[in-house]
């Protein structure tokens, strides 16, 4: 194109010179020299009339641009190839730009006006070098700032994904689109937006770091806000609307009603009991809901799904009555019982006390598990309050009906220790039959402070029925009664006055204890621990003891060591007295002599006591 224009200019100049030659008349040499314009000669051109120069300059200004380097001008797309766009900027030649620089604008066509930067007026081949990308970069910040200040909508090309969002080309600037600003609803597939051209709003500019943040969500919210106002103004309780499941949580479902969100609580999703809302609905599902309630500003809307269906209790068969057997599925277990779904949406409670005839209550989990299919008997039925109580134990005979024949007083049995308290042990004879062994009936000889010292939960014990209260459903048992009472034979062996040899087991403030055998432990009072020489017995010291008290009922045995030699002394006194009397009879001493002998013996005894 440049060569063609240069050729045209050369041809026009040559023609003008030929024409000038024709027009120059033949003059006298002297006259020619006098009229010769030396200025034109020195300049090498013919002077042009000033008016023509002004006209020429005007045409140049109107039709050609000042192609200064690094200047942004507006050009026009005059031709498109598979790879390039030909741009006319009213210069001597057109410029060529790669279509890669227009990737953000796939709809580029001939006639579109674009901004370009004049990189080089002419390269080595005389080509005008342009750049659209550089021009956009130069102009981009002005446009971005203007769009931000005026809150204008801009168009951008989503280039790729990045951490936390997307990279968007806006006016040639790479802007950040946060994932939370793509749409009003959560995005699960970010890749679907890559390569798309979308509209955005510039929400933040950091001039220091040249960062731009854009939002597509802001545009959607603006439209939704208008819809929201219209929807809210028409809301009424009981109104049925169609919505889309926007989010699912453990406590309910958020439904988009077209710009307004409402919550369907988990208890309002289904008449049946459910563990999680995803058992009923799924994301993006269209559902019908009814408005149950909302606050004054209608910003919190409570919705319901199950209310659109007839209540299952209303459809419950009239044939079901108290005493009937029903089957159901365990849906919930609590400490106090289990809820059984008899039909969909209709539940009955089996209290833990109705799971077994046993009076020893346990947890409901000891009998049933969630998901179990069970059979039960209807105990109560209230259709108005929609309540039903059920029982399992009623499916088996009451074990107390023939209790007198199975467990008569005096009969012996084996049972399992289920629990114990401070005062006794509960023993299960069979399912539904529990008996109590008082702590005093555990052992004949051992002094037990707490049942745990004698037995453990789960142990098998042999028991004897002591008392039976059919009406009160109470069974009194004994364990020691299953063995012979060793105190019956010990009553003779350790009768008062008998003497036994043993060692001091322990010494306490008031005395000491001695063990005659594994059953008999006797107490020795402090004053009865004195030896003949006046010292006291010590721990581990062996000696003879006389039983001074034996009480079988209270299992009390008291012994004395001092009584051993004291009794001997008494015998010696009596013997001395007899001997003195005999000697007196023989010698017939005076009364004074006899008194002196007795006084001497008495002084000896008193000295021994000290």
């Amino acid at each position: 194109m440049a060569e063609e224009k240069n050729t045209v200019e050369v041809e026009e100049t040559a023609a003008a010179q030929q024409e000038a030659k024709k027009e120059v008349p033949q003059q006298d040499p002297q006259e020619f020299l006098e009229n010769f314009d030396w200025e034109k000669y020195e300049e090498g051109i013919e002077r042009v009339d000033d008016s023509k120069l002004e006209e020429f300059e005007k045409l140049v200004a109107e039709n050609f641009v000042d192609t200064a380097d690094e200047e942004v001008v507006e050009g026009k797309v005059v031709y498109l190839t598979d790879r390039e766009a030909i741009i006319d900027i009213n210069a001597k030649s057109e410029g060529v730009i790669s279509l890669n620089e227009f990737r953000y604008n796939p709809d580029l066509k001939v006639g579109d006006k674009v901004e370009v930067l004049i990189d080089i007026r002419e390269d080595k081949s005389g080509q005008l070098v342009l750049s659209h990308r550089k021009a956009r970069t130069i102009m981009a910040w002005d446009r971005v700032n203007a769009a931000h200040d005026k809150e204008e909508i801009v168009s951008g090309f989503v280039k790729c994904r990045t951490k936390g969002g997307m990279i968007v080309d806006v006016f040639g600037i790479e802007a950040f689109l946060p994932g939370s600003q793509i749409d009003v609803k959560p995005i699960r597939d970010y890749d679907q937006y890559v390569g798309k051209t979308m509209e955005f709003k510039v929400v933040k500019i950091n001039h220091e770091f040249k960062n731009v943040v854009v939002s597509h969500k802001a545009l959607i919210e603006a439209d939704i806000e208008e819809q929201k106002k219209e929807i809210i103004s028409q809301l009424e309780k009981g109104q049925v609307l169609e919505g889309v499941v926007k989010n699912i949580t453990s406590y309910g479902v958020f439904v988009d009603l077209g710009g307004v969100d409402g919550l369907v609580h988990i208890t309002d999703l289904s008449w049946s009991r459910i563990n999680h809302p995803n058992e009923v609905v799924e994301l993006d599902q269209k559902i019908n809901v009814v408005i149950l309630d909302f606050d004054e500003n209608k910003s919190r809307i409570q919705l319901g799904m199950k209310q659109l269906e007839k209540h299952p209790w209303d459809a419950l068969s009239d044939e079901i009555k108290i005493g009937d057997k029903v089957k159901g599925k365990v849906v919930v277990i609590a400490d106090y019982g289990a809820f059984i779904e008899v039909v969909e949406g209709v539940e009955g409670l089996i209290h833990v006390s109705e799971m077994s005839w046993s009076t020893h209550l346990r947890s409901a989990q000891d009998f049933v598990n969630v998901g179990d299919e069970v059979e039960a008997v209807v105990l109560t039925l209230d259709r108005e309050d929609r309540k039903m109580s059920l029982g399992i134990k009623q499916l088996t005979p009451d074990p107390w009906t023939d209790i007198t024949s199975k467990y008569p007083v005096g009969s012996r049995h084996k049972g399992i220790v289920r629990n114990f308290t401070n005062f006794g042990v509960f023993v299960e004879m069979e399912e539904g039959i529990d008996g109590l062994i008082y702590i005093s009936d555990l052992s004949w000889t051992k002094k037990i402070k707490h049942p745990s010292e004698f037995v453990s939960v789960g142990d098998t014990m042999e028991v004897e029925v002591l008392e039976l209260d059919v009406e009160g459903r109470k069974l009194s048992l004994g364990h020691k009664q299953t063995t012979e009472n060793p105190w019956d034979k010990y009553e003779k062996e350790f009768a008062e006055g008998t003497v036994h040899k043993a060692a001091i087991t322990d010494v306490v403030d008031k005395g000491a204890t001695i063990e005659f055998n594994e059953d008999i432990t006797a107490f020795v009072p402090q004053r009865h621990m004195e030896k003949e020489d006046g010292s006291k017995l010590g721990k581990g010291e062996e000696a003879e003891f006389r039983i001074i008290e034996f009480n079988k009922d209270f299992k009390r045995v008291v012994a004395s060591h001092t009584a051993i030699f004291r009794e001997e002394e008494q015998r010696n006194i009596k013997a001395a007295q007899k001997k003195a009397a005999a000697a007196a009879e023989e010698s017939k001493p005076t009364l004074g002599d006899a008194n002196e002998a007795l006084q001497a013996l008495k002084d000896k005894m008193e000295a021994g006591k000290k």
Side-chain angles (χ1 to χ4, degrees), residues 56-101:
F56 177 76
E57 290 176 356
K58 183 178 180 181
L59 291 172
V60 170
E62 292 177 354
N63 295 282
F64 294 95
V65 298
D66 183 8
T67 57
D69 293 347
E70 299 297 326
E71 183 180 353
V72 177
V73 297
E74 187 177 70
K76 183 179 180 181
V77 180
V78 294
Y79 187 71
L80 291 173
T81 68
D82 293 340
R83 296 182 178 181
E84 299 172 327
I86 310 301
I87 311 298
D88 181 12
I89 61 169
N90 288 333
K92 290 189 297 181
S93 60
E94 288 86 6
V96 178
I97 300 177
S98 172
L99 287 180
N100 288 334
E101 298 192 21

Side-chain angles (χ1 to χ4, degrees), residues 247-254 265-267 269 274-278:
N247 192 18
I248 300 176
T249 68
S250 60
Y251 56 85
V253 176
F254 287 94
H265 195 267
I266 186 172
T267 57
L269 283 170
I274 58 175
N275 296 317
H276 197 277
N278 56 20

Side-chain angles (χ1 to χ4, degrees), residues 147-148 151-159 166-171 173 175-178 181-183 193-194 196-203 212-220:
H148 180 261
E151 297 186 354
E152 294 178 347
I153 298 174
V154 298
S155 179
F157 176 76
V158 181
K159 297 177 66 175
M166 318 287 288
I167 297 298
V168 180
D169 185 331
V170 179
F171 302 139
I173 295 176
F176 177 59
L177 171 63
Q181 296 298 316
I182 298 177
D183 206 336
Y193 295 95
V194 177
K196 288 187 177 182
T197 299
M198 302 169 61
E199 290 184 335
F200 302 97
K201 187 176 181 180
V202 180
V203 293
V212 179
V213 180
V214 296
S215 171
H216 180 68
K217 176 182 176 181
L219 302 179
I220 301 175

Side-chain angles (χ1 to χ4, degrees), residues 355-389:
M355 292 183 173
S356 169
W357 288 108
S358 175
T359 56
H360 176 62
L361 296 182
R362 285 172 277 176
S363 172
Q365 293 179 342
D366 295 334
F367 300 95
V368 294
N369 296 310
V370 173
D372 288 352
E373 294 286 342
V374 298
E375 186 178 28
V377 176
V378 179
L379 303 180
T380 63
L381 181 62
D382 189 339
R383 295 179 181 271
E384 291 184 1
D385 291 338
R386 295 170 178 170
K387 292 182 180 180
M388 181 191 304
S389 62

Side-chain angles (χ1 to χ4, degrees), residues 395-607:
L395 297 173
T396 58
D398 185 351
W400 282 84
T401 54
D402 56 351
I403 188 72
T404 54
S405 60
K406 289 194 295 184
Y407 300 100
V409 174
S411 60
R412 293 184 178 182
H413 311 273
K414 287 185 178 181
I416 299 175
V417 177
R418 291 301 183 190
N419 192 15
F420 45 69
T421 64
N422 292 331
F423 55 83
V425 179
F426 287 98
V427 177
E428 185 180 55
M429 310 301 292
E430 63 176 81
E431 184 70 28
I433 303 294
D434 289 349
L436 174 64
I437 304 176
Y438 281 100
I439 194 170
S440 59
D441 289 319
L442 287 174
S443 173
W444 289 111
T445 58
K446 292 182 179 180
K447 293 182 179 180
I448 302 170
K449 295 181 179 180
H450 192 274
S452 59
E453 301 173 6
F454 186 81
V455 71
S456 299
V457 174
D459 289 352
T460 300
M461 293 186 68
E462 189 173 358
V463 296
E464 181 177 312
V465 179
L466 304 181
E467 294 180 14
L468 179 61
D469 182 359
V470 179
E471 293 184 0
R473 290 177 176 258
K474 292 181 180 180
L475 190 63
S476 180
L477 306 173
H479 172 67
K480 71 181 184 181
Q481 289 79 4
T482 60
T483 60
E484 184 182 357
N485 187 353
W487 288 85
D488 291 339
K489 64 178 181 179
Y490 293 146
E491 188 175 15
K492 293 181 179 180
E493 183 180 350
F494 294 93
E496 291 183 10
T498 58
V499 177
H500 307 272
K501 195 172 185 178
I504 299 293
T505 305
D506 195 13
V507 177
V508 295
D509 293 340
K510 294 183 179 181
T513 58
I514 54 176
E515 293 182 357
F516 292 120
N517 56 40
E518 61 180 5
D519 296 325
I520 301 298
T521 299
F523 178 71
V524 182
Q526 185 74 245
R527 66 180 185 275
H528 291 281
M529 294 176 62
E530 184 179 348
K531 295 189 290 185
E532 189 173 2
D533 60 2
S535 62
K536 299 284 185 179
L537 290 170
K539 183 176 180 179
E541 191 172 353
E542 192 175 50
E544 288 187 338
F545 296 90
R546 183 182 298 279
I547 305 299
I548 59 177
E549 182 183 350
F550 184 89
N551 190 318
K552 181 178 71 173
D553 296 331
F554 294 99
K555 300 180 181 63
R556 177 180 171 85
V557 179
V558 181
S560 172
H561 171 67
T562 305
I564 297 292
F565 64 83
R566 287 280 173 83
E567 185 179 353
E568 183 65 28
E569 289 178 352
Q570 292 294 333
R571 283 199 300 268
N572 291 337
I573 291 174
K574 291 180 180 179
Q577 288 175 344
K578 290 181 180 180
K579 185 176 180 180
E585 184 66 29
E586 291 177 0
S587 61
K588 293 183 179 179
T590 63
L591 182 61
D593 294 335
N595 289 336
E596 288 178 3
L598 291 173
Q599 184 63 42
L601 182 60
K602 184 177 181 182
D603 292 342
K604 181 181 179 181
M605 291 178 62
E606 289 179 353

